[in-house]
Each structure stands twice: as C-alpha cells, then as structure tokens.
Amino acid sequence: MFKLAVIPLLVGASLLASAPFASAATNLVYCSEGSPAGFDPGQYTTGTDFDASAETMFNRLSQFQRGGTAVEPGLATSWDVSPDNLIWTFHLRDGVKFHTTPYFKPTRDFNADDVLFTFNRMLDKDMPFRKAYPSEFPYFTDMGMDKNIAKVEKIDDKTVKFTLNTVDAAFIQNLAMSFASIQSAEYADQLLKQGNPADINQKPVGTGPFVFKSYQKDSNIRFTGNKNYWKPEDVKIDNLIFAITTDPSVRMQKLKKDECQVTLYPRPADLEALKADSKLQMPQQAGFNLGYIAYNVMDKIKGSNEPNPMAQLKVRQALDMSVNKQQIIDSVYQGAGQLAVGSMPPTQWSYDTTIKDAPYDLEKAKELLKEAGIKPGTEITLWAMPVQRPYNPNAKLMAEMLQSDWSKIGINAKIMTYEWGEYIKRSKGGENGAMLIGWSGDNGDPDNWLGTLFGCDAIEGNNFSKWCNPQFDKLVKAAKATTDVAERTKLYQEAQQLIKQQVPMTPIAHSTVYQPMSKKVEGFKISPFALNSFYGVSVSK
C-alpha cells in the first residue's frame, strides 16, 4: 500500500529530460513526483520509494501479476504449505544473478542464504548487519510479521522453510509486497567488511529487471536494463530514467513535449486537455484506494503539554459530521472521486455495505463539542500532505475546505505541512493532529487495510490515528489467523463497524486512477497498488 511549498525543478532534471536519448526506441523517461528516501525497500512504506527500488531493481519470492492482485511465482518457483498452515517451504529459482555494478561483482547466483539474510535482518536486531546499520522495517512490524515468523531455515541452497507461530491467511500475498524484496547476502557481507553497511540503502544491488546507475536528489535516477535478467522477455528498455518533477503542471508540460513518456497523478483540472491530445493515451481504472482524515487520539499530542481534544470520541464525532464531503469531492476530485463511507474501498472483498455515514449536522456537532467541554475557538492542527496521490489530488485545497467546515462549529484548524519524508516521519512519531493521508491497497487482502492502518501493531507505523482498540485488534487478528473466507469476512465486517463507531478517521473518497503516457509506450499496466513498474514495457519508434 500515505511541504506545502512545491520544490522547484532543478536544472539537472530539465537537461536530462531534453537529452537526445529521451525519445529513443529503447529508452524511457518517467516523470516521477518525488525523491525517494532511499533504495532499501524494507525500510519504507511509500510508492515513491518502492517505484525507485522494489519495482525496478528487486524481486520477491512471490510476485503479483502485472496490473492485478493474483500472486504468481517469483524468485521461488513453487511453495508447499503444511496441513496446519504454519510451515511454508519455498523452492528457489535456479540461475538468478544479482546485479554486477562498479561497487559489487557477485561470485555466485541467488540462493537460500539471500532469503535468510533478507528476513533475519528484519527479525533479529542482534544480527551483525542490523547492529552495524540499525534500521527499522515498518511494513514488516506493522503487519506483525516480526512476531509471527518463528524462524527461517535453509534446507539446502535451493530450499527455504518459514515456520509461523499462528496462521497468516495473507502470508503469500505479504511476501509479494515491495518491502519483502530479496537482498544479496554476499553484498551485505562485503559492505560489513568494508565498514559501509549503510550503502545497502544508497548503492542498491538486486536481481530485478533494471540496474542502478546514479541518483541526483530532486533531479534524476538512472537505471540500465538488466541484460542478465532471469526473465529476459521483460526487459525491453535499455535506459530507464526517473526525471523527478514535483510540480504536476510541469509534469504534464514535459509529457506533451515528449520530454518524458510516462507520468502520474494528473490534476483533475488537466484531465480533459490530456484526453484530447492525440499524441497521448490515458488509461484509467477504478481506484483501489481511500483518502481519509486520521485523528490523533492520544491524550496529548507529542510535543504539546495541552490535552488533545481529539482524544474524546464526541469531538471526533463532531468533526466527522461537520465535513461537507460532497463539496470536497466536487472541488478536489472534480468528477474523478467517489464518496467513501468505510475504512476500505467497496472493491475489497469483505467490505461491509451496511455502513452509513453520520448525517451532516452542524447543530448536533456543536452540541457534542459542548458536552465534551470544548469551547468555541479551540485550536487543533490539521496536517496537509505536500504531494499528490491517487487518493488525494490536492491536499492543500482539501485542508482549506476542512478548515472552513470546522470553523462553522467553533473549531479553529491550523493547517501545517512538511516535506513528504518529514511529514511521514513526524506523524509516525505522533506529532500530527488531524491529518490528511490515504492508502492504496498493497496485496488485495482486507488485513492490508484494517490491520496495517488501524491495528495496535501499527501504532508506530501507518496507524496515524494512534488508535489501539483491543476489541478491534482481537477481531482483525482472528480474521488473519483463519483461512475460512466466510469467517474472515464476518470478522472483518465487525471490525469495520467498530471503526465507524469509534471514529479514529473520517473517510473522504475513492478516486479514479489515470495514468497519462505517450502513445509510443506499449505494455504498461496500471497497478491496483499505485505502483509504477516498467518491466514488460517498451517504447515504439
């Protein structure tokens, strides 16, 4: 599966995009929207980071079919599951080579040691590499995998066994997610001996379709096609360039000029003009996403000595029922959004269709605030995302509209923002008040919404509300621990009802995803998980 000022485009990116090779047949320039925080997929949770690492340079044991949610073999050709669903045995692919780069030359092919290194680094804080380069793995821990994987064992060079403490119905989907990308144990050993373990995050080495060449922050990332890729038919581009372009209007201008051939996140106001351009194509699909307001429910927000009004249910209810959702959808999404009422999209199996929004009622909201002892003029902070996402194309405008909505019930919302990496880091630390955020599904499983975003294990991760409800947590964990789909559906629907009752968040919209690109681009598939993958993609002359 989440800086009010726009970072000016650096000269380097403009020069890059207008370079002679930009429109050559075997080269593709992608106008991305932000700089990655790093290139070690296990450490991150955002699409910006995964696009630049997991989707280009790495593989996983299992993988999602391009453009879909079905799981297929990746670095494992097959897997067996014990009758009690606790032991998973993976049979590894032969002949897979790690990238050869100026800083690393592998002496062996991918094998079981690489799987063990990848997962033991996330499991064991005392392993030498983890101690030398202390890192956190938020997805892994948010999903409780650090507690549920009892051990990972090497049976032989081509066989690995995972033993779980409890049944995880989404285990194979989880292993297909970006954070589970397989690292080279041999490369890690080299970095440890050199005393440079942090280079795993800056000088990446994977088995994926593209090889890392260079990175200039806020300007560009360059990759070359992997000529030794284990699936050679998927590598049809010699040079892949990410031209980092934070301004959406500049991205569209560059696309129209063929300075880039693929981009993302058009503003709703630009859609008609893009659709009318004969040189462009505009594939679209219903978004597997949710834009929402997360309310920090801690008694005191980190960094403040004052009681937090949003710790009270009545305050959250008042804020929720005073949001004019339809007005936001009309203005922010401009026809490309659907009203959201639940904590995951209606296209997710187990979605509870009986859930309804509280009526829009300003007078009732004022009564609730009075009952909670909240005086008119009380101030809260409202955090606005600095970037566009499919689930929120204009967080600044949305924040201003919420500010206006809440002023009508006597709440003074102070809008705040930070650079995207800082925004996520500070909010995970609990500094946020009410917060605009959202999610695009990662693996097609309900747990990826309910457990990852609202579970107690995710309090220091993607649970930006810091809401830990024991009853909810028990339901979600019970659902994850059975493979009976009917039973899982019943438990997840009960959990959705609890979220609606306790209001740790206000759902706003599910948006349609548009992917503008040149008509020269062939084979690109929109990911339901809001990721951008270029394997299997070509550019015609």
Side-chain angles (χ1 to χ4, degrees):
M1 14 244 267
F2 330 139
K3 98 185 165 187
L4 202 53
V6 175
I7 299 173
L9 181 69
L10 298 186
V11 174
S14 298
L15 289 175
L16 172 72
S18 59
F21 60 68
S23 60
T26 57
N27 301 285
L28 187 147
V29 178
Y30 166 56
C31 279
S32 64
E33 50 82 51
S35 294
F39 296 96
D40 177 4
Q43 294 190 46
Y44 303 108
T45 62
T46 77
T48 300
D49 299 307
F50 292 152
D51 285 353
S53 59
E55 295 305 301
T56 51
M57 297 180 287
F58 291 91
N59 296 118
R60 291 147 290 285
L61 292 175
S62 57
Q63 62 188 31
F64 295 108
Q65 290 179 358
R66 282 203 310 137
T69 60
V71 174
E72 61 185 15
L75 292 179
T77 56
S78 63
W79 44 86
D80 309 315
V81 188
S82 62
D84 62 3
N85 290 295
L86 292 177
I87 297 175
W88 293 69
T89 304
F90 290 86
H91 307 284
L92 307 183
R93 191 176 296 276
D94 282 323
V96 176
K97 301 186 183 305
F98 280 97
H99 300 158
T100 295
T101 72
Y103 47 86
F104 176 66
K105 292 178 173 53
T107 64
R108 62 165 176 81
D109 290 349
F110 156 75
N111 67 26
D113 292 334
D114 305 305
V115 179
L116 264 63
F117 167 74
T118 297
F119 287 94
N120 283 332
R121 183 169 69 118
M122 294 190 280
L123 284 167
D124 183 5
K125 292 184 178 181
D126 291 325
M127 75 168 292
F129 194 91
R130 180 84 173 267
K131 290 180 79 171
Y133 176 44
S135 305
E136 298 302 321
F137 302 97
Y139 249 128
F140 191 70
T141 53
D142 284 3
M143 297 166 76
M145 294 181 79
D146 58 328
K147 297 182 178 70
N148 197 35
I149 297 176
K151 55 185 174 180
V152 187
E153 299 172 277
K154 174 181 177 179
I155 306 303
D156 56 45
D157 274 354
K158 293 300 173 186
T159 315
V160 174
K161 183 171 76 173
F162 286 74
T163 301
L164 307 184
N165 289 315
T166 59
V167 174
D168 181 351
F171 187 64
I172 199 65
Q173 288 97 327
N174 294 343
L175 292 188
M177 291 167 60
S178 297
F179 77 88
S181 295
I182 301 298
Q183 299 275 3
S184 165
E186 186 182 17
Y187 180 47
D189 286 343
Q190 174 184 303
L191 293 177
L192 207 53
K193 289 171 184 173
Q194 293 172 342
N196 298 317
D199 278 0
I200 200 169
N201 196 24
Q202 301 302 323
K203 296 179 178 179
V205 169
T207 58
F210 298 96
V211 181
F212 180 77
K213 291 292 287 185
S214 65
Y215 169 48
Q216 184 179 349
K217 185 175 171 60
D218 297 333
S219 176
N220 66 81
I221 316 170
R222 292 172 179 256
F223 309 91
T224 57
N226 181 4
K227 299 186 186 306
N228 295 311
Y229 192 47
W230 55 271
K231 201 174 179 184
E233 66 273 17
D234 275 353
V235 183
K236 301 178 179 181
I237 300 168
D238 289 331
N239 296 286
L240 173 64
I241 304 98
F242 281 35
I244 299 165
T245 312
T246 57
D247 188 324
S249 62
V250 175
R251 288 200 296 270
M252 298 312 140
Q253 290 167 16
K254 292 170 77 170
L255 180 68
K256 289 180 177 182
K257 293 177 182 177
D258 199 32
E259 293 178 358
C260 59
Q261 288 76 51
V262 180
T263 189
L264 75 176
Y265 310 147
R267 297 178 304 179
D270 291 335
L271 289 174
E272 290 309 312
L274 290 167
K275 288 177 182 177
D277 192 319
S278 61
K279 295 179 181 178
L280 303 179
Q281 54 181 319
M282 183 80 84
Q284 68 180 75
Q285 68 181 28
F288 193 51
N289 59 45
L290 170 66
Y292 64 95
I293 309 164
Y295 301 115
N296 187 332
V297 304
M298 294 193 303
D299 290 337
K300 290 184 179 179
I301 290 172
K302 186 176 179 181
S304 171
N305 292 319
E306 299 296 320
N308 174 20
M310 289 175 292
Q312 297 190 61
L313 174 58
K314 288 183 178 180
V315 174
R316 301 195 300 273
Q317 289 173 324
L319 294 171
D320 177 77
M321 66 176 59
S322 56
V323 174
N324 191 332
K325 286 190 186 180
Q326 193 56 55
Q327 200 170 68
I328 288 175
I329 288 170
D330 292 344
S331 300
V332 174
Y333 295 87
Q334 298 185 25
Q338 299 82 46
L339 185 77
V341 297
S343 43
M344 54 189 189
T347 47
Q348 173 64 66
W349 67 266
S350 81
Y351 177 82
D352 190 341
T353 57
T354 68
I355 288 177
K356 306 296 179 190
D357 268 339
Y360 176 71
D361 192 334
L362 298 181
E363 293 309 311
K364 175 65 173 174
K366 290 175 185 175
E367 285 179 24
L368 286 168
L369 290 176
K370 187 175 181 181
E371 290 172 14
I374 302 300
K375 297 178 180 178
T378 293
E379 183 177 282
I380 64 171
T381 58
L382 171 58
W383 286 35
M385 295 160 46
V387 295
Q388 279 184 294
R389 283 290 180 271
Y391 53 73
N392 192 333
N394 192 337
K396 179 177 182 292
L397 175 58
M398 188 184 291
E400 290 167 350
M401 296 181 75
L402 288 171
Q403 186 182 53
S404 174
D405 285 345
W406 290 340
S407 70
K408 294 170 186 171
I409 61 170
I411 294 294
N412 177 19
K414 179 184 176 184
I415 298 173
M416 298 179 63
T417 193
Y418 296 92
E419 180 273 328
W420 181 234
E422 198 68 13
Y423 187 86
I424 295 295
K425 180 182 176 182
R426 286 174 178 265
S427 51
K428 285 182 177 178
E431 295 181 32
N432 59 296
M435 175 186 181
L436 294 183
I437 194 66
W439 194 253
S440 293
D442 286 312
N443 66 10
D445 193 87
D447 183 74
N448 184 239
W449 299 90
L450 303 181
T452 301
L453 301 182
F454 306 107
C456 294
D457 288 340
I459 284 288
E460 295 181 3
N462 290 310
N463 184 345
F464 296 111
S465 302
K466 309 303 177 190
W467 179 71
C468 176
N469 181 291
Q471 186 182 353
F472 173 88
D473 222 49
K474 185 177 179 181
L475 288 167
V476 171
K477 286 181 174 174
K480 194 177 179 184
T482 176
T483 56
D484 184 323
V485 174
E487 178 64 14
R488 294 189 79 202
T489 296
K490 177 177 174 289
L491 293 166
Y492 284 133
Q493 289 182 342
E494 288 182 42
Q496 290 169 71
Q497 292 284 352
L498 261 178
I499 289 181
K500 202 64 180 174
Q501 292 162 17
Q502 294 298 312
V503 202
M505 52 85 78
T506 291
I508 300 292
H510 313 288
S511 72
T512 304
V513 176
Y514 293 90
Q515 190 91 42
M517 65 186 74
S518 166
K519 282 190 173 175
K520 296 187 295 186
V521 175
E522 298 174 353
F524 188 97
K525 294 184 181 292
I526 297 177
S527 164
F529 310 131
L531 298 171
N532 293 277
S533 307
F534 296 95
Y535 61 94
V537 177
S538 61
V539 181
S540 65
K541 292 183 180 179

